[in-house]
Amino acid sequence: MKSQILSACGVALLLIACGNQQKSQYVVTANVGQDFNGKTAYIYDSFKGENIDSAVVANGIALFTNDFDNSTYAHIMIDDKSAADFFLTPDSISITEGIPEGGVLNKKNDEYWKQRMATIDEFNSLPDSIQKEKYSFFQNKLDSAENALMNDNMDNALGINLYLRQVRPETIAQLDSIINAHPVLKGNNILEKQRGALIAAEETSVGKKFKDFEVNYNDSTFRLSEVVGNGKYVLVDFWASWCGPCIRQTSVIKEILKEYGPKGLEVLGVAVWDEPEKTLQGIKDHDLPWRNVINAQNIPSDIYGFQGIPCIILFGPDGTILSRDQQGEELKADVAKAFESK
């Protein structure tokens, strides 16, 4: 009988202990402003590529509470736009005017950026003559601090995020090697997007046939097949008005068009990742004489797999890709080679 009483007490104590254990949770209080009252705000997990929590904004506040025993780089999303970027951990985190406070990783990140900016300010305070002499020293100091923070935090979202900022695999084999070296990156949405881009780039590399796409703007529809694959050489410039390297290449393309336009070359601009109004202003400001497709956004980059611009592709008369991702003199040489072989 005594053993039964002890057993019952043991069960009771165990239940009490279990009941007192607190699950890991986050509490995120995001002050997004009264204009968003009644709208739904989301926490978007950039590593998973999906929304993981939601809250209706009341009195300008979106309050999120949920079980969580991990870390990730997250965004507060409203109307598909980011209102804040932060590291989500099982902590109490407040966000005001897009600035997060609270959470061990947000604190580490804030301290790192304060030190980084102090180093940059120290460099900028030097006379120009000494800046030239000390540039490598200060750059190495910045790089060493970032690498140290990354290496010390590869088991959490802070280190992973820094690593992903540095890594840009050029092949599937390189990407797989990265994941094998850091298993924590397996299934990461950012790397999987890069995988998709690498596959798309390979499928539209030199020697492959063009892939068609469609862009709708102002009640009109453009298809790449209207221009490419119809018996002419076509140079397509994927660009944006805010992209400095894109604008610099327009002078190169103008030279190419001047020489090879009379020989049958057609130039087409396709504006990606840009606001239509800014694209139209850019066309005017830089006096671009060729046809431009407006508001293509991510459509071409998803199909052709380019992760940066400008991306300039030369298509042959049958739509075969003859040159890709070349600029300046290399681009001129590829166009010249194509016309020499006519």
Side-chain angles (χ1 to χ4, degrees):
M1 187 69 177
K2 184 177 179 180
S3 63
Q4 291 177 344
I5 293 173
L6 288 173
S7 177
C9 289
V11 172
L13 289 171
L14 179 62
L15 289 173
I16 291 170
C18 290
N20 287 337
Q21 282 184 338
Q22 292 185 349
K23 292 183 177 179
S24 296
Q25 281 191 329
Y26 60 72
V27 178
V28 178
T29 306
N31 188 338
V32 296
Q34 301 287 344
D35 291 344
F36 294 110
N37 283 343
K39 291 192 173 184
T40 301
Y42 299 90
I43 293 181
Y44 176 82
D45 184 334
S46 65
F47 290 173
K48 290 184 176 180
E50 62 186 22
N51 294 324
I52 60 172
D53 204 350
S54 64
V56 176
V57 179
N59 297 319
I61 302 293
L63 178 62
F64 304 89
T65 303
N66 215 330
D67 296 338
F68 195 65
D69 59 1
N70 207 333
S71 66
T72 191
Y73 186 55
H75 310 272
I76 301 294
M77 303 295 296
I78 305 176
D79 293 339
D80 294 327
K81 294 182 180 179
S82 177
D85 307 326
F86 67 107
F87 290 100
L88 180 64
T89 52
D91 292 297
S92 180
I93 300 169
S94 63
I95 300 173
T96 303
E97 295 183 351
I99 300 174
E101 290 187 359
V104 61
L105 298 188
N106 290 313
K107 183 178 180 181
K108 282 185 180 182
N109 189 55
D110 185 54
E111 290 173 349
Y112 162 73
W113 277 101
K114 285 178 179 177
Q115 293 172 3
R116 184 178 181 88
M117 294 311 299
T119 300
I120 292 172
D121 289 343
E122 182 184 354
F123 173 78
N124 289 335
S125 69
L126 298 173
D128 290 347
S129 58
I130 298 180
Q131 281 187 0
K132 293 179 181 179
E133 178 185 338
K134 294 288 187 178
Y135 177 82
S136 295
F137 169 80
F138 276 91
Q139 187 61 59
N140 289 336
K141 186 176 181 179
L142 291 172
D143 291 344
S144 296
E146 180 170 314
N147 287 332
L149 183 67
M150 178 186 72
N151 291 328
D152 289 344
N153 289 276
M154 277 305 292
D155 61 342
N156 62 57
L158 178 57
I160 293 171
N161 194 56
L162 286 169
Y163 186 78
L164 293 174
R165 280 173 46 190
Q166 295 182 10
V167 169
R168 187 59 66 91
E170 296 181 358
T171 65
I172 296 293
Q174 287 181 2
L175 189 150
D176 288 336
S177 177
I178 289 167
I179 293 173
N180 289 336
H182 302 283
V184 69
L185 297 173
K186 187 175 182 180
N188 183 279
N189 174 61
I190 296 171
L191 285 179
E192 289 309 305
K193 282 186 175 180
Q194 290 184 359
R195 182 186 300 278
L198 290 170
I199 292 171
E202 171 59 28
E203 292 175 347
T204 55
S205 57
V206 172
K208 304 291 177 65
K209 284 291 181 70
F210 83 102
K211 287 191 175 184
D212 204 6
F213 61 79
E214 182 178 295
V215 175
N216 296 302
Y217 176 67
N218 273 0
D219 298 324
S220 64
T221 299
F222 167 84
R223 294 179 180 83
L224 186 63
S225 55
E226 295 173 14
V227 180
V228 172
N230 293 318
K232 296 184 69 174
Y233 288 90
V234 183
L235 191 68
V236 179
D237 177 27
F238 298 98
W239 71 291
S241 64
W242 49 263
C243 169
C246 298
I247 302 307
R248 288 193 289 273
Q249 287 304 304
T250 59
S251 61
V252 175
I253 297 173
K254 287 178 181 178
E255 292 177 23
I256 291 172
L257 182 61
K258 182 178 180 180
E259 182 173 356
Y260 294 99
K263 299 178 182 180
L265 177 70
E266 184 172 347
V267 172
L268 174 73
V270 179
V272 297
W273 314 339
D274 204 3
E275 298 176 21
E277 297 77 14
K278 293 182 179 179
T279 298
L280 293 169
Q281 188 63 47
I283 293 169
K284 181 179 179 181
D285 290 345
H286 302 289
D287 192 25
L288 305 185
W290 46 80
R291 179 183 180 185
N292 269 278
V293 179
I294 310 299
N295 203 35
Q297 301 305 342
N298 296 323
I299 296 171
S301 53
D302 287 346
I303 292 174
Y304 282 83
F306 55 86
Q307 301 179 65
I309 49 176
C311 174
I312 304 172
I313 301 179
L314 176 64
F315 297 94
D318 65 349
T320 298
I321 296 172
L322 304 178
S323 171
R324 174 177 170 147
D325 297 320
Q326 300 286 18
Q327 300 180 27
E329 295 304 315
E330 290 81 6
L331 177 60
K332 291 180 180 179
D334 280 357
V335 175
K337 180 180 179 181
F339 275 85
E340 285 171 5
S341 64
K342 284 183 64 176

